[in-house]
Every structure is written in structure tokens, then in C-alpha cells.
Amino acid sequence: MMETVYPGLACALQKLSFFECSTQFTLDAVNLFVFFVTVSTKMPQVISIATSWTSQGVSLTAFTMETFGISILLLYNIYNGTQLGLYAESFASIAMNIVLLFLLFSISQKRVMFALYCTGVVAFNIAAYVIGNENLITTLQAGASLLFYAGSIAQIRENIKEGTAHLLSLSLFGGYAVMGTLREITFVFTDKPDMVLIIANAIGTTLCFIVVGQIIAGKMVRKG
């Protein structure tokens, strides 16, 4: 099991060349770093919304789309038997997103909608997995990428409308941008590169950098 999660361990056990093992261990280290960054960068956003109890400037649409997209990404990787280390952060990410959505829906006094949303996401992914059609899963992954893009664009639009993006956590979207960049490296240098994931991640990371730029610009405006 550990060899499946961390191929670098299997590499050492198989006594492969130093270059092969060092490369794999480096990728494993990046995977672990991405996992912990995912948790640590989302916490400030949760705290910001929980303490202020307002969702001003935070796009509910963006986070609902992102959460649905992450669930499909999990489905895609589980169905295709992707190395767990390459997507383990998605489990942490979706858990933190559920907390964020609970707060956002609660602020809007729509907890019933939150329950219906979560139920729908779970039911959709279970149904897709049970059907188990490879073309369907691949198509859904492409759709998940579109959801990520649409979510990021919705947040970008909200930032333009709201002006300062003062409740958005720089650590969250900065973390997204950094993780996206690191994940791009692991996607490219893994044993079996998946072009669908590589291209989708590259576009999503670019949009995250745009949001980061908006947050920084907003902070400069408020200080000015």
C-alpha cells in the first residue's frame, strides 16, 4: 500500500538507480508539500468568513463550482487508478470546501440548499462510478475543468464588482497558484503523463494567478 502512495519507497526497495530514486523521492516530497499546503492555506479563508460572518466579496458560485469540480477530479483519479500521491490533496481540499460552503450557505440562511447540494454531488459521483464508462469519466473530467474555470471567472468577476476583495484570503489563492505550479511539475514528470490533467491544471493555475493579482491590488487600494 505504501509503495502505491509513495512510489519513491518502492523505488528504494527495488534498488533502482540513484537518479531514478532521487527523482521519485523529489516528486513524493512535492506531493506531501502540496497536501499540507492545501490544508494550511484554506484555513485562513474559513476563519475570515467565520469571524466576520459575512460573505461580501466571496463568490458562492465559485466555491460551489470548485467543490463539484474537485469531486469529479477525485472520481476521475480513483477510476483510472492514479497514484494516490498525485491527488491526495483533493480529499483535504473538498473537506475544507464543504466547511466553507456550510458557512456561506448558513450566512445566506440556506442550509437546506447546502444539504441538497452535498447530497446531489455525492449521488452524481456514485452514479457515474457505478456506470463505469471510461468515455463518460473522461468527459466528466473535462467538464470538471470547465467548472474550475467558471468558478475562478465568477470570483474574478465578483472581485471586479466588489472592488477590493477584502474577505478573500491571499494565502488561499496564493496557495492555489503555488500548488497548481507544483502539481504541473508532478503531472509532467510522472511515469505516465496525462495531457488532460496537464492542460486543465495549467489553465486553472493561470486563473488563480489572476485572482491573486486582484487581491494584492485590492490590498494596495485599501492601504492607499
Side-chain angles (χ1 to χ4, degrees):
M1 176 63 182
M2 288 297 291
E3 290 86 343
T4 302
V5 179
Y6 304 111
L9 178 60
C11 179
L13 293 175
Q14 293 168 11
K15 297 181 180 180
L16 300 180
S17 71
F18 173 78
F19 176 78
E20 291 173 315
C21 286
S22 59
T23 299
Q24 191 58 64
F25 272 117
T26 300
L27 293 178
D28 287 347
V30 171
N31 289 334
L32 285 172
F33 178 74
V34 169
F35 178 86
F36 288 113
V37 168
T38 298
V39 177
S40 61
T41 56
K42 288 205 170 188
M43 188 58 68
Q45 185 69 78
V46 172
I47 295 173
S48 175
I49 294 175
T51 54
S52 64
W53 202 247
T54 176
S55 59
Q56 182 183 0
V58 179
S59 173
L60 177 61
T61 300
F63 281 103
T64 52
M65 287 185 173
E66 179 186 291
T67 304
F68 192 21
I70 294 172
S71 72
I72 296 175
L73 180 63
L74 280 170
L75 170 68
Y76 177 85
N77 284 300
I78 292 172
Y79 182 84
N80 286 290
T82 305
Q83 293 175 5
L84 181 57
L86 291 175
Y87 68 96
E89 75 277 3
S90 294
F91 288 101
S93 185
I94 199 167
M96 298 296 287
N97 268 33
I98 289 173
V99 175
L100 280 169
L101 286 176
F102 175 75
L103 292 172
L104 293 173
F105 275 106
S106 295
I107 291 170
S108 302
Q109 298 183 338
K110 297 178 180 178
R111 290 185 180 179
V112 174
M113 291 297 295
F114 169 75
L116 291 174
Y117 170 81
C118 291
T119 301
V121 170
V122 172
F124 179 88
N125 282 279
I126 290 176
Y129 186 84
V130 170
I131 293 173
N133 181 280
E134 185 174 352
N135 291 330
L136 172 63
I137 302 296
T138 301
T139 301
L140 288 176
Q141 166 58 23
S145 299
L146 293 177
L147 284 173
F148 287 130
Y149 307 155
S152 295
I153 291 171
Q155 186 60 67
I156 290 171
R157 180 177 178 276
E158 184 69 22
N159 293 344
I160 294 173
K161 176 184 176 182
E162 194 269 339
T164 59
H166 69 283
L167 277 181
L168 285 182
S169 168
L170 179 60
S171 67
L172 173 60
F173 286 93
Y176 279 172
V178 171
M179 288 186 295
T181 302
L182 292 174
R183 184 53 72 213
E184 192 71 11
I185 295 172
T186 59
F187 283 158
V188 170
F189 289 98
T190 190
D191 291 338
K192 298 179 180 179
D194 188 326
M195 290 305 299
V196 173
L197 294 178
I198 290 173
I199 295 173
N201 184 72
I203 297 174
T205 300
T206 300
L207 291 172
C208 285
F209 272 110
I210 293 175
V211 176
V212 168
Q214 290 181 312
I215 296 173
I216 293 174
K219 288 181 179 294
M220 294 175 64
V221 168
R222 291 195 299 278
K223 287 182 178 179

